[in-house]
Amino acid sequence: MQSRTPDEALLSTMLSIGAYVSILSVIGSLFNILTIGLLQVSTMALKKMVIFRAIFDIIFSLNAFMGPIRALNAVECQIRGFLWTVGSAGSIFWTCCFAHSLYASVKKLDGTVPELYFRRYWVISCSLALAWGAFAVFINYFQIIGESRICHHNPFSADLKLYQVLIIQFPVYFGILYSIGCYASVMRKLVKYNSGIHIELLLYPLILIICNLPIVVRRLIIALTFKEGEISPHWVAIIGIALIHSQGILNAVVYGFSKTVISKYKERCMRPKREKMDASTLLGSKLLGSQVSSGVLGLECSPQTSILRSDQL
């Protein structure tokens, strides 16, 4: 396998776009974590799944933000590569957990699936993410490229074998195929019972498919044919990199615009106004009661009332 340096100008443009989009993804992931902390919108296990998914999105996005920045040395590049791979793989594996929860919930018609499987989800997703990060460092997948000293993975490096490239990119291939398989296997029941399924279980895997499929197809063709410039226009690569870094913000849109979250935020925003109205009503009632009591006491104690009563007697 002959070494070749990718187009540095195109790579710099792609990484800059990815960096800008990743800022939105970090904001979206933090929004999800904040929402879970403020509102009671999901079961405890599902909350934890969303939080872990958001944490890995943040790790991935922060390293994407560092993408256009020059690497000082190879050690720094390997650390960035490790974190980039851990964030990417962890996000994908947690999305597969959402897909499995969707599959199991629809098959069993049981809404407690996340609680039953959460410990296994946590162990499998975190362990595999760390393992893939270590493998990326082991095969020196991330390298300093050209005079720009950009730290990025170079699938054309002579140091990499085809099977190593396919292994390091396996999580995203697996994530897409597994999510599609889960959807396909429960589609009929999903249409019938989707009213009882959490929207996170339904749409997180779909976002993974939409955001990763274009860049995955391109990378797979590059890995198999060793031809980069001939397989697609540059704008396809730019759109692909923008999509792959936008998962955090899209996940936030899915979670934040669900009916449950919107209604909870409305309820929380209306609470101070409602409490103020209740306090005003209570104060008014007390004042009215005081006025009525004062009037009754004044009536009983007045001389005219006493004379009237004597005459009546």
Side-chain angles (χ1 to χ4, degrees):
M1 191 172 185
Q2 186 180 3
S3 180
R4 182 154 64 93
T5 302
D7 185 343
E8 290 186 43
L10 173 62
L11 181 58
S12 179
T13 301
M14 292 169 61
L15 292 180
S16 297
I17 293 173
Y20 287 120
V21 176
S22 68
I23 296 174
L24 298 177
S25 288
V26 170
I27 295 173
S29 299
L30 291 174
F31 168 79
N32 279 354
I33 295 174
L34 179 65
T35 298
I36 289 174
L38 290 176
L39 308 179
Q40 299 296 325
V41 292
S42 305
T43 63
M44 183 57 67
L46 196 57
K47 285 180 182 180
K48 293 178 181 178
M49 289 175 67
V50 174
I51 289 174
F52 275 106
R53 173 74 166 78
I55 289 173
F56 280 101
D57 272 338
I58 290 173
I59 294 173
F60 176 66
S61 297
L62 288 177
N63 280 274
F65 179 74
M66 296 285 292
I69 300 175
R70 295 166 59 93
L72 297 178
N73 50 55
V75 174
E76 179 195 338
C77 186
Q78 291 304 315
I79 293 174
R80 285 162 60 174
F82 172 79
L83 293 174
W84 189 96
T85 308
V86 167
S88 174
S91 177
I92 291 168
F93 287 131
W94 272 108
T95 302
C96 291
C97 294
F98 280 100
H100 176 266
S101 289
L102 171 69
Y103 170 83
S105 297
V106 174
K107 282 290 186 180
K108 299 178 180 180
L109 298 179
D110 183 3
T112 64
V113 166
E115 283 76 11
L116 297 175
Y117 287 92
F118 175 76
R119 186 177 294 275
R120 274 177 274 185
Y121 290 159
W122 184 85
V123 172
I124 292 172
S125 298
C126 295
S127 300
L128 289 178
L130 292 173
W132 249 263
F135 183 72
V137 174
F138 177 75
I139 66 174
N140 199 31
Y141 187 58
F142 276 73
Q143 302 172 10
I144 297 176
I145 298 175
E147 296 180 357
S148 60
R149 299 190 63 81
I150 292 175
C151 176
H152 196 59
H153 50 81
N154 180 11
F156 302 113
S157 172
D159 299 329
L160 295 177
K161 304 295 189 294
L162 176 60
Y163 78 90
Q164 292 176 328
V165 176
L166 294 178
I167 288 174
I168 201 66
Q169 295 179 357
F170 171 79
V172 70
Y173 304 145
F174 173 78
I176 290 176
L177 293 176
Y178 186 78
S179 297
I180 292 175
C182 287
Y183 274 120
S185 62
V186 299
M187 190 55 68
R188 290 183 180 178
K189 286 190 176 181
L190 190 63
V191 173
K192 186 175 181 180
Y193 297 108
N194 63 354
S195 58
I197 300 299
H198 286 285
I199 192 170
E200 304 94 317
L201 303 181
L202 182 62
L203 294 182
Y204 276 1
L206 185 61
I207 290 175
L208 172 70
I209 296 171
I210 294 172
C211 290
N212 286 274
L213 193 58
I215 201 73
V216 162
V217 171
R218 188 174 186 276
R219 285 178 180 175
L220 186 60
I221 295 175
I222 291 173
L224 295 175
T225 65
F226 196 56
K227 296 178 181 180
E228 181 179 23
E230 302 174 11
I231 65 167
S232 65
H234 291 338
W235 61 266
V236 175
I238 292 173
I239 291 176
I241 205 72
L243 281 173
I244 205 171
H245 288 96
S246 64
Q247 293 179 78
I249 187 63
L250 292 179
N251 289 334
V253 170
V254 166
Y255 192 70
F257 283 89
S258 63
K259 291 182 180 179
T260 304
V261 171
I262 291 175
S263 63
K264 289 289 185 178
Y265 265 119
K266 285 182 178 179
E267 180 183 340
R268 188 176 182 86
C269 292
M270 292 295 292
R271 189 181 304 165
K273 184 177 180 181
R274 189 181 301 113
E275 290 175 352
K276 185 177 180 180
M277 291 176 62
D278 292 342
S280 299
T281 304
L282 180 61
L283 180 60
S285 300
K286 288 182 177 180
L287 290 174
L288 181 60
S290 299
Q291 291 174 359
V292 170
S293 299
S294 299
V296 171
L297 290 173
L299 184 62
E300 291 178 348
C301 297
S302 63
Q304 294 179 356
T305 306
S306 301
I307 295 172
L308 180 61
R309 288 180 178 175
S310 301
D311 293 340
Q312 288 176 344
L313 292 173

